[in-house]
PDB file of all heavy atoms in Angstrom:
ATOM      1  N   TRP A  11      88.038  79.675 117.075  1.00  0.00           N
ATOM      2  CA  TRP A  11      89.371  79.832 117.694  1.00  0.00           C
ATOM      3  C   TRP A  11      90.396  78.953 116.978  1.00  0.00           C
ATOM      4  O   TRP A  11      91.489  79.401 116.622  1.00  0.00           O
ATOM      5  CB  TRP A  11      89.263  79.485 119.180  1.00  0.00           C
ATOM      6  CG  TRP A  11      90.521  79.713 119.970  1.00  0.00           C
ATOM      7  CD1 TRP A  11      91.491  80.645 119.741  1.00  0.00           C
ATOM      8  CD2 TRP A  11      90.929  78.986 121.134  1.00  0.00           C
ATOM      9  NE1 TRP A  11      92.476  80.558 120.693  1.00  0.00           N
ATOM     10  CE2 TRP A  11      92.162  79.553 121.559  1.00  0.00           C
ATOM     11  CE3 TRP A  11      90.390  77.937 121.864  1.00  0.00           C
ATOM     12  CZ2 TRP A  11      92.849  79.073 122.680  1.00  0.00           C
ATOM     13  CZ3 TRP A  11      91.062  77.480 122.986  1.00  0.00           C
ATOM     14  CH2 TRP A  11      92.275  78.036 123.387  1.00  0.00           C
ATOM     15  N   LYS A  12      90.017  77.692 116.738  1.00  0.00           N
ATOM     16  CA  LYS A  12      90.932  76.746 116.097  1.00  0.00           C
ATOM     17  C   LYS A  12      91.294  77.186 114.675  1.00  0.00           C
ATOM     18  O   LYS A  12      92.460  77.109 114.259  1.00  0.00           O
ATOM     19  CB  LYS A  12      90.311  75.359 116.085  1.00  0.00           C
ATOM     20  CG  LYS A  12      91.223  74.266 115.526  1.00  0.00           C
ATOM     21  CD  LYS A  12      90.547  72.900 115.602  1.00  0.00           C
ATOM     22  CE  LYS A  12      91.450  71.811 115.051  1.00  0.00           C
ATOM     23  NZ  LYS A  12      90.802  70.470 115.109  1.00  0.00           N
ATOM     24  N   ASN A  13      90.305  77.657 113.928  1.00  0.00           N
ATOM     25  CA  ASN A  13      90.551  78.067 112.541  1.00  0.00           C
ATOM     26  C   ASN A  13      91.476  79.263 112.431  1.00  0.00           C
ATOM     27  O   ASN A  13      92.054  79.511 111.367  1.00  0.00           O
ATOM     28  CB  ASN A  13      89.226  78.370 111.836  1.00  0.00           C
ATOM     29  CG  ASN A  13      88.452  77.114 111.493  1.00  0.00           C
ATOM     30  OD1 ASN A  13      88.964  75.998 111.593  1.00  0.00           O
ATOM     31  ND2 ASN A  13      87.195  77.277 111.104  1.00  0.00           N
ATOM     32  N   ASN A  14      91.597  79.995 113.532  1.00  0.00           N
ATOM     33  CA  ASN A  14      92.493  81.155 113.519  1.00  0.00           C
ATOM     34  C   ASN A  14      93.813  80.855 114.227  1.00  0.00           C
ATOM     35  O   ASN A  14      94.553  81.765 114.588  1.00  0.00           O
ATOM     36  CB  ASN A  14      91.800  82.364 114.160  1.00  0.00           C
ATOM     37  CG  ASN A  14      92.346  83.679 113.653  1.00  0.00           C
ATOM     38  OD1 ASN A  14      92.422  83.911 112.444  1.00  0.00           O
ATOM     39  ND2 ASN A  14      92.752  84.554 114.575  1.00  0.00           N
ATOM     40  N   GLY A  15      94.091  79.558 114.459  1.00  0.00           N
ATOM     41  CA  GLY A  15      95.398  79.181 114.981  1.00  0.00           C
ATOM     42  C   GLY A  15      95.468  78.910 116.465  1.00  0.00           C
ATOM     43  O   GLY A  15      96.560  78.667 116.997  1.00  0.00           O
ATOM     44  N   SER A  16      94.335  78.954 117.171  1.00  0.00           N
ATOM     45  CA  SER A  16      94.296  78.697 118.630  1.00  0.00           C
ATOM     46  C   SER A  16      95.337  79.526 119.369  1.00  0.00           C
ATOM     47  O   SER A  16      96.030  79.041 120.269  1.00  0.00           O
ATOM     48  CB  SER A  16      94.506  77.207 118.917  1.00  0.00           C
ATOM     49  OG  SER A  16      93.504  76.422 118.321  1.00  0.00           O
ATOM     50  N   LYS A  17      95.455  80.789 118.991  1.00  0.00           N
ATOM     51  CA  LYS A  17      96.441  81.676 119.632  1.00  0.00           C
ATOM     52  C   LYS A  17      96.092  81.894 121.097  1.00  0.00           C
ATOM     53  O   LYS A  17      94.927  81.896 121.487  1.00  0.00           O
ATOM     54  CB  LYS A  17      96.502  83.016 118.896  1.00  0.00           C
ATOM     55  CG  LYS A  17      96.974  82.921 117.438  1.00  0.00           C
ATOM     56  CD  LYS A  17      97.054  84.307 116.811  1.00  0.00           C
ATOM     57  CE  LYS A  17      97.505  84.250 115.366  1.00  0.00           C
ATOM     58  NZ  LYS A  17      96.467  83.686 114.469  1.00  0.00           N
ATOM     59  N   MET A  18      97.096  82.118 121.906  1.00  0.00           N
ATOM     60  CA  MET A  18      96.927  82.253 123.354  1.00  0.00           C
ATOM     61  C   MET A  18      96.995  83.705 123.822  1.00  0.00           C
ATOM     62  O   MET A  18      96.761  83.986 124.987  1.00  0.00           O
ATOM     63  CB  MET A  18      98.015  81.454 124.076  1.00  0.00           C
ATOM     64  CG  MET A  18      98.192  80.035 123.563  1.00  0.00           C
ATOM     65  SD  MET A  18      96.805  78.965 123.966  1.00  0.00           S
ATOM     66  CE  MET A  18      97.134  78.651 125.680  1.00  0.00           C
ATOM     67  N   ASN A  19      97.299  84.607 122.910  1.00  0.00           N
ATOM     68  CA  ASN A  19      97.488  85.999 123.312  1.00  0.00           C
ATOM     69  C   ASN A  19      97.323  86.880 122.079  1.00  0.00           C
ATOM     70  O   ASN A  19      97.797  86.542 120.988  1.00  0.00           O
ATOM     71  CB  ASN A  19      98.880  86.197 123.911  1.00  0.00           C
ATOM     72  CG  ASN A  19      99.070  87.581 124.477  1.00  0.00           C
ATOM     73  OD1 ASN A  19      98.212  88.101 125.177  1.00  0.00           O
ATOM     74  ND2 ASN A  19     100.205  88.203 124.157  1.00  0.00           N
ATOM     75  N   GLY A  20      96.609  88.009 122.250  1.00  0.00           N
ATOM     76  CA  GLY A  20      96.466  88.925 121.135  1.00  0.00           C
ATOM     77  C   GLY A  20      95.182  89.719 121.209  1.00  0.00           C
ATOM     78  O   GLY A  20      94.390  89.589 122.145  1.00  0.00           O
ATOM     79  N   SER A  21      94.981  90.574 120.207  1.00  0.00           N
ATOM     80  CA  SER A  21      93.766  91.382 120.128  1.00  0.00           C
ATOM     81  C   SER A  21      92.594  90.497 119.698  1.00  0.00           C
ATOM     82  O   SER A  21      92.755  89.321 119.366  1.00  0.00           O
ATOM     83  CB  SER A  21      93.956  92.512 119.119  1.00  0.00           C
ATOM     84  OG  SER A  21      94.032  91.978 117.805  1.00  0.00           O
ATOM     85  N   TRP A  22      91.413  91.084 119.672  1.00  0.00           N
ATOM     86  CA  TRP A  22      90.224  90.329 119.297  1.00  0.00           C
ATOM     87  C   TRP A  22      90.356  89.754 117.884  1.00  0.00           C
ATOM     88  O   TRP A  22      90.039  88.582 117.656  1.00  0.00           O
ATOM     89  CB  TRP A  22      88.991  91.226 119.406  1.00  0.00           C
ATOM     90  CG  TRP A  22      88.689  91.590 120.831  1.00  0.00           C
ATOM     91  CD1 TRP A  22      89.125  92.697 121.508  1.00  0.00           C
ATOM     92  CD2 TRP A  22      87.941  90.810 121.768  1.00  0.00           C
ATOM     93  NE1 TRP A  22      88.683  92.671 122.808  1.00  0.00           N
ATOM     94  CE2 TRP A  22      87.951  91.536 122.999  1.00  0.00           C
ATOM     95  CE3 TRP A  22      87.255  89.601 121.702  1.00  0.00           C
ATOM     96  CZ2 TRP A  22      87.297  91.056 124.132  1.00  0.00           C
ATOM     97  CZ3 TRP A  22      86.601  89.130 122.836  1.00  0.00           C
ATOM     98  CH2 TRP A  22      86.623  89.849 124.032  1.00  0.00           C
ATOM     99  N   GLU A  23      90.828  90.563 116.967  1.00  0.00           N
ATOM    100  CA  GLU A  23      90.966  90.074 115.589  1.00  0.00           C
ATOM    101  C   GLU A  23      92.155  89.129 115.425  1.00  0.00           C
ATOM    102  O   GLU A  23      92.134  88.255 114.564  1.00  0.00           O
ATOM    103  CB  GLU A  23      91.063  91.262 114.632  1.00  0.00           C
ATOM    104  CG  GLU A  23      89.742  92.022 114.508  1.00  0.00           C
ATOM    105  CD  GLU A  23      89.798  93.133 113.485  1.00  0.00           C
ATOM    106  OE1 GLU A  23      90.917  93.635 113.206  1.00  0.00           O
ATOM    107  OE2 GLU A  23      88.726  93.525 112.962  1.00  0.00           O
ATOM    108  N   GLU A  24      93.167  89.283 116.272  1.00  0.00           N
ATOM    109  CA  GLU A  24      94.293  88.347 116.222  1.00  0.00           C
ATOM    110  C   GLU A  24      93.897  86.972 116.748  1.00  0.00           C
ATOM    111  O   GLU A  24      94.356  85.944 116.234  1.00  0.00           O
ATOM    112  CB  GLU A  24      95.469  88.906 117.026  1.00  0.00           C
ATOM    113  CG  GLU A  24      96.155  90.094 116.355  1.00  0.00           C
ATOM    114  CD  GLU A  24      97.152  90.786 117.264  1.00  0.00           C
ATOM    115  OE1 GLU A  24      97.091  90.597 118.502  1.00  0.00           O
ATOM    116  OE2 GLU A  24      97.987  91.539 116.735  1.00  0.00           O
ATOM    117  N   ILE A  25      93.034  86.942 117.746  1.00  0.00           N
ATOM    118  CA  ILE A  25      92.609  85.662 118.336  1.00  0.00           C
ATOM    119  C   ILE A  25      91.510  85.007 117.496  1.00  0.00           C
ATOM    120  O   ILE A  25      91.547  83.795 117.239  1.00  0.00           O
ATOM    121  CB  ILE A  25      92.115  85.863 119.784  1.00  0.00           C
ATOM    122  CG1 ILE A  25      93.248  86.371 120.679  1.00  0.00           C
ATOM    123  CG2 ILE A  25      91.535  84.550 120.344  1.00  0.00           C
ATOM    124  CD1 ILE A  25      94.391  85.396 120.860  1.00  0.00           C
ATOM    125  N   PHE A  26      90.550  85.790 117.034  1.00  0.00           N
ATOM    126  CA  PHE A  26      89.362  85.217 116.401  1.00  0.00           C
ATOM    127  C   PHE A  26      89.251  85.517 114.905  1.00  0.00           C
ATOM    128  O   PHE A  26      88.352  84.990 114.237  1.00  0.00           O
ATOM    129  CB  PHE A  26      88.096  85.715 117.118  1.00  0.00           C
ATOM    130  CG  PHE A  26      88.043  85.349 118.573  1.00  0.00           C
ATOM    131  CD1 PHE A  26      88.180  86.310 119.568  1.00  0.00           C
ATOM    132  CD2 PHE A  26      87.882  84.026 118.961  1.00  0.00           C
ATOM    133  CE1 PHE A  26      88.132  85.969 120.916  1.00  0.00           C
ATOM    134  CE2 PHE A  26      87.837  83.679 120.310  1.00  0.00           C
ATOM    135  CZ  PHE A  26      87.967  84.653 121.285  1.00  0.00           C
ATOM    136  N   GLY A  27      90.108  86.351 114.363  1.00  0.00           N
ATOM    137  CA  GLY A  27      90.030  86.702 112.955  1.00  0.00           C
ATOM    138  C   GLY A  27      89.142  87.914 112.722  1.00  0.00           C
ATOM    139  O   GLY A  27      88.461  88.395 113.632  1.00  0.00           O
ATOM    140  N   LYS A  28      89.153  88.402 111.503  1.00  0.00           N
ATOM    141  CA  LYS A  28      88.341  89.563 111.157  1.00  0.00           C
ATOM    142  C   LYS A  28      86.974  89.113 110.654  1.00  0.00           C
ATOM    143  O   LYS A  28      86.847  88.131 109.938  1.00  0.00           O
ATOM    144  CB  LYS A  28      89.040  90.399 110.090  1.00  0.00           C
ATOM    145  CG  LYS A  28      90.317  91.070 110.575  1.00  0.00           C
ATOM    146  CD  LYS A  28      90.894  91.985 109.503  1.00  0.00           C
ATOM    147  CE  LYS A  28      92.140  92.695 110.030  1.00  0.00           C
ATOM    148  NZ  LYS A  28      92.705  93.644 109.029  1.00  0.00           N
ATOM    149  N   GLY A  29      85.940  89.877 111.046  1.00  0.00           N
ATOM    150  CA  GLY A  29      84.603  89.565 110.569  1.00  0.00           C
ATOM    151  C   GLY A  29      83.533  89.866 111.602  1.00  0.00           C
ATOM    152  O   GLY A  29      83.836  90.194 112.760  1.00  0.00           O
ATOM    153  N   LEU A  30      82.283  89.742 111.188  1.00  0.00           N
ATOM    154  CA  LEU A  30      81.160  90.002 112.092  1.00  0.00           C
ATOM    155  C   LEU A  30      81.154  89.042 113.270  1.00  0.00           C
ATOM    156  O   LEU A  30      80.696  89.388 114.362  1.00  0.00           O
ATOM    157  CB  LEU A  30      79.835  89.880 111.326  1.00  0.00           C
ATOM    158  CG  LEU A  30      79.562  90.943 110.259  1.00  0.00           C
ATOM    159  CD1 LEU A  30      78.228  90.659 109.563  1.00  0.00           C
ATOM    160  CD2 LEU A  30      79.564  92.342 110.851  1.00  0.00           C
ATOM    161  N   HIS A  31      81.668  87.816 113.050  1.00  0.00           N
ATOM    162  CA  HIS A  31      81.702  86.847 114.148  1.00  0.00           C
ATOM    163  C   HIS A  31      82.566  87.356 115.302  1.00  0.00           C
ATOM    164  O   HIS A  31      82.236  87.150 116.475  1.00  0.00           O
ATOM    165  CB  HIS A  31      82.198  85.492 113.659  1.00  0.00           C
ATOM    166  CG  HIS A  31      83.617  85.496 113.196  1.00  0.00           C
ATOM    167  ND1 HIS A  31      84.001  85.971 111.960  1.00  0.00           N
ATOM    168  CD2 HIS A  31      84.778  85.096 113.810  1.00  0.00           C
ATOM    169  CE1 HIS A  31      85.313  85.854 111.831  1.00  0.00           C
ATOM    170  NE2 HIS A  31      85.803  85.325 112.938  1.00  0.00           N
ATOM    171  N   THR A  32      83.664  88.030 114.989  1.00  0.00           N
ATOM    172  CA  THR A  32      84.531  88.572 116.035  1.00  0.00           C
ATOM    173  C   THR A  32      83.879  89.785 116.688  1.00  0.00           C
ATOM    174  O   THR A  32      83.975  89.965 117.917  1.00  0.00           O
ATOM    175  CB  THR A  32      85.899  88.947 115.447  1.00  0.00           C
ATOM    176  OG1 THR A  32      86.529  87.745 114.997  1.00  0.00           O
ATOM    177  CG2 THR A  32      86.792  89.610 116.481  1.00  0.00           C
ATOM    178  N   ASP A  33      83.213  90.621 115.896  1.00  0.00           N
ATOM    179  CA  ASP A  33      82.474  91.746 116.479  1.00  0.00           C
ATOM    180  C   ASP A  33      81.463  91.238 117.507  1.00  0.00           C
ATOM    181  O   ASP A  33      81.301  91.815 118.587  1.00  0.00           O
ATOM    182  CB  ASP A  33      81.728  92.506 115.377  1.00  0.00           C
ATOM    183  CG  ASP A  33      82.648  93.315 114.478  1.00  0.00           C
ATOM    184  OD1 ASP A  33      83.866  93.389 114.773  1.00  0.00           O
ATOM    185  OD2 ASP A  33      82.162  93.872 113.477  1.00  0.00           O
ATOM    186  N   GLU A  34      80.789  90.141 117.171  1.00  0.00           N
ATOM    187  CA  GLU A  34      79.775  89.607 118.082  1.00  0.00           C
ATOM    188  C   GLU A  34      80.411  89.016 119.339  1.00  0.00           C
ATOM    189  O   GLU A  34      79.899  89.221 120.456  1.00  0.00           O
ATOM    190  CB  GLU A  34      78.928  88.548 117.383  1.00  0.00           C
ATOM    191  CG  GLU A  34      77.800  88.043 118.260  1.00  0.00           C
ATOM    192  CD  GLU A  34      76.869  87.078 117.573  1.00  0.00           C
ATOM    193  OE1 GLU A  34      77.331  86.295 116.713  1.00  0.00           O
ATOM    194  OE2 GLU A  34      75.655  87.085 117.885  1.00  0.00           O
ATOM    195  N   ILE A  35      81.505  88.293 119.189  1.00  0.00           N
ATOM    196  CA  ILE A  35      82.194  87.725 120.352  1.00  0.00           C
ATOM    197  C   ILE A  35      82.656  88.835 121.290  1.00  0.00           C
ATOM    198  O   ILE A  35      82.486  88.764 122.516  1.00  0.00           O
ATOM    199  CB  ILE A  35      83.384  86.859 119.891  1.00  0.00           C
ATOM    200  CG1 ILE A  35      82.883  85.581 119.211  1.00  0.00           C
ATOM    201  CG2 ILE A  35      84.299  86.511 121.064  1.00  0.00           C
ATOM    202  CD1 ILE A  35      83.962  84.804 118.484  1.00  0.00           C
ATOM    203  N   PHE A  36      83.250  89.875 120.721  1.00  0.00           N
ATOM    204  CA  PHE A  36      83.709  91.033 121.498  1.00  0.00           C
ATOM    205  C   PHE A  36      82.544  91.656 122.259  1.00  0.00           C
ATOM    206  O   PHE A  36      82.629  91.912 123.464  1.00  0.00           O
ATOM    207  CB  PHE A  36      84.335  92.042 120.534  1.00  0.00           C
ATOM    208  CG  PHE A  36      84.488  93.435 121.073  1.00  0.00           C
ATOM    209  CD1 PHE A  36      85.526  93.737 121.942  1.00  0.00           C
ATOM    210  CD2 PHE A  36      83.613  94.443 120.702  1.00  0.00           C
ATOM    211  CE1 PHE A  36      85.674  95.036 122.441  1.00  0.00           C
ATOM    212  CE2 PHE A  36      83.750  95.732 121.191  1.00  0.00           C
ATOM    213  CZ  PHE A  36      84.788  96.025 122.067  1.00  0.00           C
ATOM    214  N   MET A  37      81.440  91.869 121.564  1.00  0.00           N
ATOM    215  CA  MET A  37      80.286  92.531 122.185  1.00  0.00           C
ATOM    216  C   MET A  37      79.661  91.645 123.262  1.00  0.00           C
ATOM    217  O   MET A  37      79.227  92.135 124.307  1.00  0.00           O
ATOM    218  CB  MET A  37      79.261  92.874 121.115  1.00  0.00           C
ATOM    219  CG  MET A  37      78.246  93.913 121.540  1.00  0.00           C
ATOM    220  SD  MET A  37      79.044  95.504 121.797  1.00  0.00           S
ATOM    221  CE  MET A  37      77.717  96.386 122.642  1.00  0.00           C
ATOM    222  N   ALA A  38      79.625  90.346 123.009  1.00  0.00           N
ATOM    223  CA  ALA A  38      79.070  89.419 123.999  1.00  0.00           C
ATOM    224  C   ALA A  38      79.851  89.491 125.302  1.00  0.00           C
ATOM    225  O   ALA A  38      79.261  89.465 126.394  1.00  0.00           O
ATOM    226  CB  ALA A  38      79.088  87.991 123.451  1.00  0.00           C
ATOM    227  N   TYR A  39      81.168  89.570 125.180  1.00  0.00           N
ATOM    228  CA  TYR A  39      81.994  89.629 126.396  1.00  0.00           C
ATOM    229  C   TYR A  39      81.632  90.855 127.235  1.00  0.00           C
ATOM    230  O   TYR A  39      81.437  90.747 128.458  1.00  0.00           O
ATOM    231  CB  TYR A  39      83.473  89.657 126.033  1.00  0.00           C
ATOM    232  CG  TYR A  39      84.374  89.806 127.253  1.00  0.00           C
ATOM    233  CD1 TYR A  39      84.718  88.702 128.011  1.00  0.00           C
ATOM    234  CD2 TYR A  39      84.820  91.061 127.660  1.00  0.00           C
ATOM    235  CE1 TYR A  39      85.501  88.833 129.152  1.00  0.00           C
ATOM    236  CE2 TYR A  39      85.603  91.203 128.793  1.00  0.00           C
ATOM    237  CZ  TYR A  39      85.948  90.093 129.533  1.00  0.00           C
ATOM    238  OH  TYR A  39      86.714  90.231 130.665  1.00  0.00           O
ATOM    239  N   TYR A  40      81.497  92.011 126.603  1.00  0.00           N
ATOM    240  CA  TYR A  40      81.263  93.227 127.384  1.00  0.00           C
ATOM    241  C   TYR A  40      79.818  93.376 127.828  1.00  0.00           C
ATOM    242  O   TYR A  40      79.554  93.949 128.903  1.00  0.00           O
ATOM    243  CB  TYR A  40      81.771  94.448 126.615  1.00  0.00           C
ATOM    244  CG  TYR A  40      83.282  94.533 126.709  1.00  0.00           C
ATOM    245  CD1 TYR A  40      84.087  94.128 125.661  1.00  0.00           C
ATOM    246  CD2 TYR A  40      83.902  94.944 127.884  1.00  0.00           C
ATOM    247  CE1 TYR A  40      85.468  94.154 125.764  1.00  0.00           C
ATOM    248  CE2 TYR A  40      85.280  94.988 128.006  1.00  0.00           C
ATOM    249  CZ  TYR A  40      86.067  94.591 126.944  1.00  0.00           C
ATOM    250  OH  TYR A  40      87.442  94.611 127.075  1.00  0.00           O
ATOM    251  N   PHE A  41      78.868  92.854 127.067  1.00  0.00           N
ATOM    252  CA  PHE A  41      77.504  92.760 127.595  1.00  0.00           C
ATOM    253  C   PHE A  41      77.495  91.878 128.844  1.00  0.00           C
ATOM    254  O   PHE A  41      76.881  92.212 129.863  1.00  0.00           O
ATOM    255  CB  PHE A  41      76.565  92.146 126.546  1.00  0.00           C
ATOM    256  CG  PHE A  41      75.892  93.138 125.638  1.00  0.00           C
ATOM    257  CD1 PHE A  41      75.708  92.828 124.291  1.00  0.00           C
ATOM    258  CD2 PHE A  41      75.412  94.349 126.105  1.00  0.00           C
ATOM    259  CE1 PHE A  41      75.060  93.716 123.440  1.00  0.00           C
ATOM    260  CE2 PHE A  41      74.766  95.245 125.258  1.00  0.00           C
ATOM    261  CZ  PHE A  41      74.600  94.928 123.921  1.00  0.00           C
ATOM    262  N   ALA A  42      78.154  90.734 128.751  1.00  0.00           N
ATOM    263  CA  ALA A  42      78.165  89.782 129.868  1.00  0.00           C
ATOM    264  C   ALA A  42      78.851  90.369 131.094  1.00  0.00           C
ATOM    265  O   ALA A  42      78.394  90.165 132.226  1.00  0.00           O
ATOM    266  CB  ALA A  42      78.838  88.484 129.446  1.00  0.00           C
ATOM    267  N   ARG A  43      79.955  91.085 130.911  1.00  0.00           N
ATOM    268  CA  ARG A  43      80.649  91.693 132.046  1.00  0.00           C
ATOM    269  C   ARG A  43      79.751  92.708 132.739  1.00  0.00           C
ATOM    270  O   ARG A  43      79.697  92.784 133.970  1.00  0.00           O
ATOM    271  CB  ARG A  43      81.945  92.374 131.583  1.00  0.00           C
ATOM    272  CG  ARG A  43      83.043  91.437 131.170  1.00  0.00           C
ATOM    273  CD  ARG A  43      83.457  90.469 132.293  1.00  0.00           C
ATOM    274  NE  ARG A  43      83.909  91.162 133.481  1.00  0.00           N
ATOM    275  CZ  ARG A  43      83.532  90.844 134.711  1.00  0.00           C
ATOM    276  NH1 ARG A  43      82.685  89.849 134.926  1.00  0.00           N
ATOM    277  NH2 ARG A  43      84.018  91.518 135.746  1.00  0.00           N
ATOM    278  N   PHE A  44      79.048  93.518 131.953  1.00  0.00           N
ATOM    279  CA  PHE A  44      78.137  94.520 132.506  1.00  0.00           C
ATOM    280  C   PHE A  44      77.067  93.830 133.356  1.00  0.00           C
ATOM    281  O   PHE A  44      76.844  94.194 134.529  1.00  0.00           O
ATOM    282  CB  PHE A  44      77.499  95.292 131.349  1.00  0.00           C
ATOM    283  CG  PHE A  44      76.636  96.456 131.739  1.00  0.00           C
ATOM    284  CD1 PHE A  44      77.059  97.760 131.526  1.00  0.00           C
ATOM    285  CD2 PHE A  44      75.376  96.265 132.309  1.00  0.00           C
ATOM    286  CE1 PHE A  44      76.271  98.844 131.871  1.00  0.00           C
ATOM    287  CE2 PHE A  44      74.566  97.334 132.655  1.00  0.00           C
ATOM    288  CZ  PHE A  44      75.013  98.635 132.433  1.00  0.00           C
ATOM    289  N   VAL A  45      76.400  92.834 132.765  1.00  0.00           N
ATOM    290  CA  VAL A  45      75.317  92.149 133.474  1.00  0.00           C
ATOM    291  C   VAL A  45      75.851  91.427 134.707  1.00  0.00           C
ATOM    292  O   VAL A  45      75.191  91.388 135.749  1.00  0.00           O
ATOM    293  CB  VAL A  45      74.598  91.169 132.531  1.00  0.00           C
ATOM    294  CG1 VAL A  45      73.539  90.371 133.285  1.00  0.00           C
ATOM    295  CG2 VAL A  45      73.961  91.917 131.376  1.00  0.00           C
ATOM    296  N   ASP A  46      77.039  90.872 134.601  1.00  0.00           N
ATOM    297  CA  ASP A  46      77.606  90.157 135.744  1.00  0.00           C
ATOM    298  C   ASP A  46      77.860  91.095 136.913  1.00  0.00           C
ATOM    299  O   ASP A  46      77.607  90.737 138.065  1.00  0.00           O
ATOM    300  CB  ASP A  46      78.900  89.460 135.338  1.00  0.00           C
ATOM    301  CG  ASP A  46      79.408  88.537 136.426  1.00  0.00           C
ATOM    302  OD1 ASP A  46      78.751  87.505 136.671  1.00  0.00           O
ATOM    303  OD2 ASP A  46      80.446  88.861 137.054  1.00  0.00           O
ATOM    304  N   LYS A  47      78.348  92.292 136.625  1.00  0.00           N
ATOM    305  CA  LYS A  47      78.606  93.250 137.705  1.00  0.00           C
ATOM    306  C   LYS A  47      77.310  93.711 138.354  1.00  0.00           C
ATOM    307  O   LYS A  47      77.241  93.873 139.581  1.00  0.00           O
ATOM    308  CB  LYS A  47      79.405  94.432 137.164  1.00  0.00           C
ATOM    309  CG  LYS A  47      80.843  94.085 136.802  1.00  0.00           C
ATOM    310  CD  LYS A  47      81.562  95.254 136.150  1.00  0.00           C
ATOM    311  CE  LYS A  47      82.979  94.870 135.740  1.00  0.00           C
ATOM    312  NZ  LYS A  47      83.679  95.981 135.033  1.00  0.00           N
ATOM    313  N   VAL A  48      76.276  93.910 137.552  1.00  0.00           N
ATOM    314  CA  VAL A  48      74.964  94.264 138.104  1.00  0.00           C
ATOM    315  C   VAL A  48      74.450  93.129 138.986  1.00  0.00           C
ATOM    316  O   VAL A  48      73.991  93.347 140.116  1.00  0.00           O
ATOM    317  CB  VAL A  48      73.966  94.558 136.952  1.00  0.00           C
ATOM    318  CG1 VAL A  48      72.548  94.694 137.499  1.00  0.00           C
ATOM    319  CG2 VAL A  48      74.374  95.827 136.206  1.00  0.00           C
ATOM    320  N   THR A  49      74.545  91.909 138.490  1.00  0.00           N
ATOM    321  CA  THR A  49      74.054  90.743 139.230  1.00  0.00           C
ATOM    322  C   THR A  49      74.847  90.522 140.509  1.00  0.00           C
ATOM    323  O   THR A  49      74.276  90.217 141.563  1.00  0.00           O
ATOM    324  CB  THR A  49      74.137  89.486 138.340  1.00  0.00           C
ATOM    325  OG1 THR A  49      73.433  89.731 137.122  1.00  0.00           O
ATOM    326  CG2 THR A  49      73.533  88.283 139.041  1.00  0.00           C
ATOM    327  N   GLU A  50      76.151  90.678 140.423  1.00  0.00           N
ATOM    328  CA  GLU A  50      76.998  90.509 141.603  1.00  0.00           C
ATOM    329  C   GLU A  50      76.608  91.490 142.692  1.00  0.00           C
ATOM    330  O   GLU A  50      76.512  91.125 143.877  1.00  0.00           O
ATOM    331  CB  GLU A  50      78.460  90.701 141.218  1.00  0.00           C
ATOM    332  CG  GLU A  50      79.425  90.520 142.385  1.00  0.00           C
ATOM    333  CD  GLU A  50      80.877  90.753 141.986  1.00  0.00           C
ATOM    334  OE1 GLU A  50      81.116  91.527 141.026  1.00  0.00           O
ATOM    335  OE2 GLU A  50      81.759  90.167 142.622  1.00  0.00           O
TER     336      GLU A  50
END
């Protein structure tokens, strides 16, 4: 986050930069949301 400017608003690539690391962060969020709703 810091290396990409610690932005407070934007798309996934605007906040985290372009690359596989951002793909993984994006996917982690939606896997986690799915599991959280099931668990809830």
Side-chain angles (χ1 to χ4, degrees):
W11 185 30
K12 184 178 180 180
N13 286 349
N14 206 52
S16 300
K17 297 182 180 71
M18 312 290 283
N19 186 45
S21 69
W22 292 92
E23 290 184 335
E24 288 170 342
I25 297 295
F26 300 110
K28 293 185 178 182
L30 293 178
H31 65 281
T32 295
D33 288 354
E34 184 175 34
I35 290 168
F36 163 78
M37 198 66 193
Y39 176 83
Y40 283 102
F41 269 142
R43 289 302 301 135
F44 186 108
V45 176
D46 189 69
K47 290 175 182 177
V48 170
T49 305
E50 181 182 27

